[in-house]
Amino acid sequence: MRILVIGSGGREHALLKGLSGNELIVAPGNAGMSTLAKQLPIDATSPQAIVTLARDEQAELVVIGPEAPLVTGAADALREAGIPVFGPTKAAAQLEGSKAFAKDVMAAAGVRTARALRVAPEEGAEGVEKTLEQFGPNYVVKDDGLAGGKGVVVTTDRAEAAAHAQAVLEAGNPVLFESFLEGPEVSLFCLVDGETVVPLLPAQDHKRAYDNDEGPNTGGMGAYTPLPWLPEDGVQRIVDEVAAPVAREMVNRGTPYQGLLYVGAAWGPEGPAVVEFNARFGDPETQAVLSMLETPLAEPLYAVATGALADLPPLQWKDGYAATVVLAAEHYPASPAKGDAITGAELDNPDKVLHAGTARGEDGYVSAGGRVLNVLGHGATLEDAIADAYRVIEGIEMRGSFYRKDIGRRAVAGEVSVEKH
């Protein structure tokens, strides 16, 4: 099958690896993807540019990686052109594009989530202060729009919460204040085709930049899968209590969901409650989760794109665990350095290293983004998988780079648990 993947990060490298065996095109891609796919330039925010490229390349399936093309209507344009696409419509992608829309859908579907209040830009500092009075001591402040996983501040410092809210308002966006959800977080990717929901393996992301969950929020510094601490019925409960009701509500609204629904949930005393939805594969959980999939990835993606998910045989998974650790550039996430040389033995082995923000320099790879590489580890136990990932990342050199040393550590130590009820 000729498959066009849109995007340029570690998530897209993982998608290409999972789709290998097909004729692959990636646009725009990054330096590490050339061994897996033909690379072409594109304005990924232009639906028409994506349709034109798909036609020119005679793509039989288009897989949209990042969120921006989805909320600008790329999937709609491809469907109108008769090209199978994995990704929801612009209207359905508002589950990620608007936090307020997602809250409205969850309320209608009876899905547990945080209490939320929205402040519009015209309400200004007075609106922020008045709303902060109703929250705390843990403040959760979100940009009510696309923020690539980085538009959220969780803090006990009221001044920091107010400053972030003010910055969002000054950028012309509404800001959302939420109550803090207790419990460990679960990332569950669900293939959704109308009312049909098929979950993938559950994972846990590590959002803070530094060890012990310190430092600013990032797009994600590492992840592991599956989750040894999740109850046996945990995945099914997230499907039954979150994904399936939301899928039904979207159908009821006349905007059926067809693509990947990322459920970010906190597992509290009453079970899962939604922290956020994404309308696409999450990064870096995708890198770990897809590395465990035995079923050829093209099969479920094409089934979703063609409305045939209900007929798909059960997905097959490898035994054991997978972990990924992100190598980040100096000064990430504030102002990451670029152009630094990267050296290491496994840089061209996509079983071990997936490229996120790299380019070609005169003598090899150089950094071209904040999150530069995703290093993968696998093992019979979670501890083995994590050790495998660190063994590889320790052999990679890049000036000023850093990575968290504690990915999955609390899970291995048995320090992550959920309340039984």
Side-chain angles (χ1 to χ4, degrees):
M1 191 186 305
R2 283 182 67 80
I3 303 173
L4 168 62
V5 175
I6 303 297
S8 61
R11 164 186 49 220
E12 287 77 33
H13 201 175
L15 287 166
L16 291 171
K17 177 68 173 63
L19 293 166
S20 58
N22 296 281
E23 290 184 74
L24 302 178
I25 307 109
V26 63
N30 67 42
M33 298 178 182
S34 59
T35 58
L36 293 173
K38 173 183 176 182
Q39 286 182 249
L40 294 169
I42 198 171
D43 175 3
T45 62
S46 167
Q48 195 49 54
I50 293 173
V51 170
T52 299
L53 182 62
R55 280 186 172 142
D56 289 348
E57 292 298 320
Q58 299 178 305
E60 297 165 88
L61 172 65
V62 178
V63 179
I64 299 175
E67 58 274 24
L70 294 169
V71 298
T72 57
D76 307 64
L78 287 159
R79 288 192 177 96
E80 285 168 20
I83 301 167
V85 54
F86 182 83
T89 62
K90 179 178 180 178
Q94 287 304 301
L95 281 175
E96 175 170 6
S98 168
K99 307 290 189 298
F101 174 79
K103 293 289 184 188
D104 186 57
V105 170
M106 284 186 276
V111 171
R112 277 191 298 277
T113 187
R115 179 176 66 88
L117 290 174
R118 187 171 182 262
V119 175
E122 59 269 20
E123 296 178 69
E126 188 178 336
V128 167
E129 288 303 323
K130 194 167 79 174
T131 307
L132 279 172
E133 291 290 340
Q134 302 179 55
F135 292 92
N138 286 297
Y139 300 98
V140 181
V141 188
K142 296 183 176 183
D143 186 332
D144 184 29
L146 287 184
K150 297 180 280 289
V152 182
V153 163
V154 181
T155 180
T156 55
D157 185 334
R158 179 166 168 157
E160 183 185 358
H164 181 65
Q166 199 60 44
V168 172
L169 295 180
E170 287 171 5
N173 295 329
V175 65
L176 211 65
F177 295 87
E178 290 187 352
S179 57
F180 181 74
L181 292 172
E182 298 287 345
E185 289 196 15
V186 182
S187 297
L188 185 67
F189 302 152
C190 294
L191 302 170
V192 179
D193 174 16
E195 292 194 25
T196 303
V197 177
V198 175
L200 306 189
L201 291 182
Q204 187 176 61
D205 186 12
H206 295 61
K207 282 288 187 190
R208 299 284 188 170
Y210 311 128
D211 286 5
N212 305 312
D213 292 326
E214 294 178 358
N217 253 21
T218 71
M221 293 298 293
Y224 63 93
T225 185
L227 306 180
W229 47 266
L230 193 67
E232 274 189 38
D233 64 345
V235 167
Q236 195 58 49
R237 282 195 62 185
I238 295 172
V239 170
D240 293 344
E241 297 175 28
V242 178
V246 165
R248 281 194 298 273
E249 175 61 21
M250 295 298 281
V251 169
N252 292 342
R253 290 174 179 232
T255 53
Y257 199 95
Q258 198 174 16
L260 194 289
L261 180 64
Y262 168 123
V263 178
W267 198 287
E270 296 179 349
V274 174
V275 175
E276 66 172 348
F277 289 129
N278 289 333
R280 37 73 194 182
F281 282 103
D283 187 336
E285 299 100 316
T286 299
Q287 288 84 313
V289 171
L290 291 188
S291 74
M292 296 294 287
L293 183 64
E294 287 272 24
T295 302
L297 180 61
E299 294 176 14
L301 300 192
Y302 190 73
V304 172
T306 56
L309 184 60
D311 303 322
L312 187 75
L315 298 176
Q316 300 300 309
W317 298 94
K318 298 171 185 172
D319 293 330
Y321 293 81
T324 186
V325 181
V326 170
L327 183 76
E330 186 178 29
H331 306 312
Y332 175 75
S335 54
K338 296 181 182 179
D340 290 305
I342 312 162
T343 58
E346 303 270 18
L347 294 180
D348 288 311
N349 177 4
D351 288 324
K352 287 296 171 193
V353 177
L354 296 169
H355 290 238
T358 64
R360 281 280 179 192
E362 288 182 15
D363 301 312
Y365 294 114
V366 297
S367 60
R371 292 185 295 173
V372 179
L373 299 171
N374 304 112
V375 175
L376 286 166
H378 298 89
T381 67
L382 179 57
E383 189 171 15
D384 290 344
I386 291 166
D388 188 36
Y390 281 116
R391 176 187 60 78
V392 175
I393 204 168
E394 285 164 8
I396 297 173
E397 297 290 333
M398 188 179 96
R399 186 197 64 81
S401 64
F402 68 96
Y403 55 89
R404 281 185 58 162
K405 312 293 196 301
D406 63 345
I407 300 302
R409 180 194 293 164
R410 293 187 64 240
V412 169
E415 296 170 7
V416 185
S417 61
V418 299
E419 292 188 35
K420 299 289 190 289
H421 55 280

